[in-house]
Amino acid sequence: MNFLRLSWWLTPVISFYWVRARDLSVRSKFDKTLSCLKWIRRMRGADIRPLGQWTTEYYITQGHAQYELGQMDAARQSFTGAFRELKKADIYTRMEKSYLALYMLTTHPSLNLESQDTTDIQEINLDKIEPDLRNYYPLRAHPEWE
């Protein structure tokens, strides 16, 4: 049955759940967000990166939902996975990687997350960050954030 988890026919279903999870997260419906993310994980299998190159965002979304629901240990594990995936990802620019790392660190301060990114938040040029990243992962701690 593993061949079914890698089949092309799953792509629209996984895409539906991914878009839904992100939209639910923005609307602060974190239980439903986690439910959608669990469906993706079930469809893809435990040993497969759930969203390929976008697995970083999967873990960030999952970690944020868990954080907001008070599931601190689970959130810490999700963000650890996000930092690990962020190092591997080649779909983000260096500045976008720093942006995402700073989002995780500043939005979830009580987790005391560790990052190897040492970029100062003021060095981030918000104009050079993909609009989707700014919309779904707002870096409100940035001095130029509106």
Side-chain angles (χ1 to χ4, degrees), residues 32 40 69 99 101 109 126 144:
K32 291 180 180 180
I40 293 171
L69 292 171
Y99 176 92
L126 294 176
E144 294 177 13

Side-chain angles (χ1 to χ4, degrees), residues 25-28 30 64 68 99 102-108 121 124 126 133-146:
S25 179
V26 167
R27 295 187 352 230
S28 300
F30 300 114
H64 181 68
E68 293 295 330
Y99 176 92
L102 287 167
Y103 167 80
M104 290 185 276
L105 295 169
T106 61
T107 307
H108 313 93
I121 197 166
I124 301 292
L126 294 176
L133 294 178
R134 289 194 319 257
N135 289 336
Y136 290 108
Y137 312 106
L139 186 57
R140 291 188 173 95
H142 193 283
E144 294 177 13
W145 191 264
E146 297 174 9

Side-chain angles (χ1 to χ4, degrees), residues 49 65 73:
R49 294 170 65 215
D73 289 336

